[in-house]
Amino acid sequence: MIQFGSVDAVPVTILTGFLGAGKTTLLNRILTGNHGLRVAVLVNDFGSINIDADLVVGVDSNVMSLANGCVCCSIRDDLIETVEAVLARPERPQYIILEASGVSDPSSIAMTFTDHTFRDTIRLDSIMCIVDADQLFAAPEQMELKLRQIAFSDLVILNKVDLVDRETVQGVHDWLGSRFRRYRLVEAVNADVPLDILLSVGRFASEHLDAATDHVHGPDCGCHGNGHGHGHHHHDHAATFATAMLHTDRPVSLDGLRDAVKRLPGSVYRLKGFVFCEEEPARRIIVQVVGKRIDIARDEPWGDRRPETRLVAIGAAGAMPATFLEDVVPLAA
């Protein structure tokens, strides 16, 4: 039976994808695009320091942080309360975008947004999965999660295709085609995708959740099912992932940081954040590490913000103690 919601319901887009795939870059593309919409942004990071919220540009007053967990499990109630608070604002948003943590399973998030409670106020517009063309097959122990993120999405954005050759890109196409009967894929460089593809694509079909579950646990899915239905997906991220954080107002040696990053073990999947460095103290330095790929770039001046370093590392469970970054990141004397 088809259920119709209100035409005034605010559309919601969920951005999913594994750690470092380019979700925040895509979000910034949308926010700075010429669409004329009043957009509210919900940003969720795994860990008590929500780095991604500070890397979103241009809409500070409309960015709401959901830290210290992932929205598919431990802070789902917070997600509901936050959505209700966003909708109650005097200037009601015309669009809501949720950037999910890189360790989130989108199925339970979608179930939240398709709940009858929200039927007349919001509608799930789409779920987009950003895939890193260069890192898809890295961290094979996390392949089931990556497959679930792809399966529950209605659009796959194969990002960073400029970092690999066409043979590798075709290999990703072949790999996806062998596991999913139907999927929509757009190739992108730096998450540059036309806005017409990303926004207001129509109501997400809730039956897609059931079909996606069949894909994930079917005989040709390429992963081993563990009894996770989309309505009963419970997991302990602490048993699967480890996080380490560094928050300090002492300057960091940038040369020393580069050397430390190069020595990170392979079990550290992701390092991101910004740095107050002694070599260039007036300007914020953005640090992005995905696997063996390292990007350290100058950002805008600190301005009225207090100079500080905020970094988070995410890796396999047991890969690092909570003090890992404190031990390896060199602080100035």
Side-chain angles (χ1 to χ4, degrees):
M1 181 179 66
I2 298 176
Q3 294 184 333
F4 295 95
S6 169
V7 294
D8 296 323
V10 177
V12 177
T13 287
I14 299 171
L15 303 183
T16 185
F18 195 63
L19 301 163
K23 295 183 295 298
T24 302
T25 302
L26 179 63
L27 177 58
N28 284 331
R29 291 277 188 189
I30 295 173
L31 295 177
T32 57
N34 185 24
H35 48 66
L37 295 171
R38 185 166 56 250
V39 179
V41 178
L42 311 180
V43 176
N44 169 229
D45 217 346
F46 180 54
S48 59
I49 298 179
N50 198 337
I51 296 294
D52 285 350
D54 290 286
L55 297 178
V56 174
V57 301
V59 288
D60 294 346
S61 62
N62 287 324
V63 176
M64 303 190 72
S65 175
L66 294 161
N68 201 25
C70 86
V71 288
C72 66
C73 49
S74 61
I75 63 169
R76 188 176 173 188
D77 290 341
D78 287 348
L79 172 60
I80 293 173
E81 292 176 3
T82 301
V83 170
E84 291 174 340
V86 166
L87 295 174
R89 288 183 170 187
E91 286 196 335
R92 185 182 176 90
Q94 297 168 298
Y95 212 96
I96 297 174
I97 300 176
L98 167 63
E99 180 194 347
S101 161
V103 303
S104 292
D105 183 318
S107 59
S108 294
I109 307 172
M111 291 291 288
T112 299
F113 285 130
T114 56
D115 188 272
H116 71 278
T117 304
F118 288 132
R119 190 179 66 180
D120 294 326
T121 54
I122 64 173
R123 65 172 174 83
L124 184 56
D125 195 50
S126 65
I127 303 177
M128 301 177 196
C129 181
I130 298 89
V131 174
D132 186 333
D134 187 41
Q135 296 290 320
L136 174 59
F137 302 113
E141 67 276 12
Q142 300 301 333
M143 191 55 72
E144 181 180 350
L145 173 59
K146 296 179 184 181
L147 280 167
R148 290 184 67 86
Q149 291 174 337
I150 295 169
F152 286 100
S153 302
D154 52 1
L155 175 64
V156 177
I157 298 172
L158 186 60
N159 194 29
K160 309 181 186 181
V161 295
D162 57 317
L163 302 181
V164 297
D165 55 29
R166 289 308 303 178
E167 182 179 357
T168 300
V169 172
Q170 186 58 50
V172 173
H173 280 271
D174 294 343
W175 184 83
L176 289 172
S178 70
R179 283 155 176 80
F180 303 104
R181 289 187 294 273
R182 294 179 60 191
Y183 67 94
R184 296 165 57 219
L185 183 143
V186 177
E187 296 181 12
V189 175
N190 292 325
D192 191 1
V193 180
L195 291 176
D196 289 344
I197 295 177
L198 301 176
L199 301 178
S200 299
V201 300
R203 181 181 294 275
F204 183 86
S206 58
E207 58 267 23
H208 181 67
L209 298 176
D210 296 317
T213 300
D214 293 339
H215 277 309
V216 172
H217 298 301
D220 62 345
C221 72
C223 64
H224 300 287
N226 55 8
H228 290 168
H230 72 257
H232 305 281
H233 180 69
H234 302 289
H235 52 275
D236 179 8
H237 286 310
T240 309
F241 298 95
T243 61
M245 285 154 281
L246 175 64
H247 187 189
T248 179
D249 56 6
R250 290 177 57 188
V252 170
S253 166
L254 196 57
D255 290 337
L257 176 63
R258 286 194 182 95
D259 291 339
V261 167
K262 291 177 182 177
R263 295 195 301 271
L264 289 176
S267 53
V268 176
Y269 304 138
R270 183 80 162 103
L271 174 67
K272 60 183 175 180
F274 48 86
V275 170
F276 170 38
C277 74
E278 62 177 338
E279 292 88 344
E280 198 167 347
R283 188 176 293 272
R284 195 167 76 156
I285 305 298
I286 302 295
V287 178
Q288 300 275 8
V289 179
V290 182
K292 296 180 180 180
R293 196 165 62 239
I294 301 169
D295 183 16
I296 299 177
R298 293 180 178 85
D299 193 32
E300 59 190 18
W302 291 104
D304 296 333
R305 295 169 298 189
R306 183 185 68 178
E308 60 180 349
T309 291
R310 295 173 66 186
L311 292 170
V312 60
I314 305 174
M320 54 190 172
T323 60
F324 176 74
L325 290 180
E326 298 175 14
D327 297 335
V328 302
V329 175
L331 302 179

